Amino acid sequence: MGYADGYLLAVSDSNKEAYREMAQKASVIFLDHGATRVIEAWGNDVPDGKVTDFRRAVKAVDGESIVFSWVEWPSKEARAKGWEKVMADERMKCDPNNMPFDGQRMIYGGFVPIVDEGAPVQAKAAMPQPA
């Protein structure tokens, strides 16, 4: 059975392109080290909840959008080996003070799928271009 790392974070709308570029570079590194799929999704229909919601979970403020992301791995063991390689990869070196998001408000975790039906969406041609 596969394994997934999930992420939720708030990104300033003014940093959308910088975040997309950073995520694109990071996705290649994850794939190079065993991940099978990387998804970075920019929120465009993220409603406010009555008790809790995505925005409150990451303390998003006006002018920030929610990013929901995940990395798929063949197994938890592959993820452990892959993460070790990702963290050692020189391409991952960056200035933490110059990130396009606040990492302290990011939520992340590892997940074992309990339902996995259908094929991954292959809609790259239909994806909106960066604004």
Side-chain angles (χ1 to χ4, degrees), residues 49-70:
K50 292 185 180 184
V51 176
T52 190
D53 55 44
F54 283 116
R55 295 187 63 76
R56 283 184 235 175
V58 293
K59 298 183 179 181
V61 298
D62 288 343
E64 290 182 326
S65 290
I66 301 302
V67 174
F68 179 61
S69 308
W70 66 95

Side-chain angles (χ1 to χ4, degrees), residues 13 16 22 30 33 38 41 54 71 77 87 93-94 97 102 105 112 116 123 128:
D13 294 334
K16 182 178 183 180
M22 181 210 66
F30 280 94
H33 295 301
V38 178
F54 283 116
V71 178
E77 295 75 22
M87 291 295 102
K93 304 291 187 238
C94 63
N97 297 315
D102 179 0
R105 293 185 288 145
V112 175
D116 185 354

